[in-house]
Amino acid sequence: MTEELGHLARGVDHAAFPTFDPAGTVRFYHDILGFPIVHSVCAVGWGPSDHPDFVHFFFDIGKGDRLAFFYYFGLGQFSEPGQDAYATHGPEVPGFFRDSRHLAIHVDSEDALAEYRRRLEDNDWTVEMQVKHETIESIYTHDPNGFLVEFTYPTRETTKVDDEDAELTVRALLDVVSGDEQPTLSKLWARKAELIVANAATALEGQQGR
């Protein structure tokens, strides 16, 4: 055993999974269970060359914890609807899809994140990425079982504007995947722009009607 290490982890920040069915996922967690949509990331070009664009969206599951999903544009479904893609995955399942399901552990500060990076590297464990997202900064590694593990701290507080933006992103995503056989991130953004204009017009009418 090594000397006692300070315990800096503060529980689960988010757990993440891939989805082939964003509409069903939103209906279950948001519409049925009532989990608020609290964050989304439109990732253009972040993925591999054959699937560069994806959407990453989050539900609030209480006490600041979040449940997240990835939807990859243009990725054909390789499992039966409703079946866990991991239960039968083989070499045809791409690594980026497997890594969508990962554990993210919350820490309070940049110093705490650096401490976990130091612990990993001091034990010859590879930190595969350190990434600044929109509201968090994270390091990533794979555990001995092959599961992707993330340590993350918030770089700023999220606001009501962030929540509203996430709602619009997910609404645009559902419109695109339900009405287009070849949805893309560009089509999502175009639909989101339409929703923003429609919301602004509704708000203006409300102000003029007072």
Side-chain angles (χ1 to χ4, degrees):
M1 298 290 286
T2 58
E3 62 183 271
E4 185 173 345
L5 297 172
H7 189 28
L8 305 176
R10 296 293 179 267
V12 175
D13 184 279
H14 66 272
F17 303 87
T19 179
F20 291 114
D21 183 9
T25 300
V26 171
R27 179 173 184 273
F28 179 76
Y29 287 105
H30 181 62
D31 300 345
I32 295 177
L33 297 178
F35 293 173
I37 298 168
V38 291
H39 185 51
S40 67
V41 177
C42 292
V44 56
W46 290 17
S49 59
D50 54 346
H51 294 288
D53 302 330
F54 60 87
V55 175
H56 192 22
F57 53 98
F58 296 70
F59 300 98
D60 180 351
I61 57 174
K63 299 182 67 174
D65 300 334
R66 297 175 296 172
L67 179 62
F69 289 88
F70 290 87
Y71 176 73
Y72 296 97
F73 290 96
L75 182 65
Q77 185 160 345
F78 42 75
S79 63
E80 294 295 324
Q83 297 294 314
D84 183 350
Y86 292 92
T88 57
H89 76 77
E92 75 280 7
V93 179
F96 71 87
F97 189 84
R98 289 196 301 272
D99 285 345
S100 298
R101 184 163 69 171
H102 63 268
L103 174 66
I105 297 171
H106 180 92
V107 296
D108 286 338
S109 66
E110 184 176 8
D111 288 343
L113 189 71
E115 170 61 15
Y116 280 106
R117 181 174 188 123
R118 183 194 67 75
R119 293 180 187 182
L120 290 166
E121 293 180 337
D122 284 357
N123 288 278
D124 298 322
W125 207 272
T126 302
V127 175
E128 298 161 30
M129 294 186 292
Q130 180 156 351
V131 181
K132 289 184 177 179
H133 304 288
E134 294 173 338
T135 60
I136 61 175
E137 183 169 0
S138 306
I139 60 173
Y140 298 86
T141 191
H142 283 84
D143 77 358
N145 304 296
F147 298 138
L148 186 66
V149 179
E150 172 184 359
F151 289 87
T152 186
Y153 80 96
T155 55
R156 67 169 175 82
E157 294 289 333
T158 56
T159 66
K160 189 173 185 296
V161 173
D162 294 308
D163 296 347
E164 292 172 350
D165 181 76
E167 283 265 5
L168 283 172
T169 297
V170 171
R171 284 176 57 194
L173 172 63
L174 300 191
D175 289 347
V176 168
V177 299
S178 66
D180 194 314
E181 293 183 355
Q182 294 184 321
T184 65
L185 192 56
S186 296
K187 293 175 181 176
L188 182 154
W189 278 340
R191 178 55 183 152
K192 184 176 177 180
E194 293 174 350
L195 292 173
I196 291 171
V197 171
N199 283 1
T202 300
L204 181 60
E205 289 176 0
Q207 291 177 351
Q208 292 174 340
R210 290 178 181 173

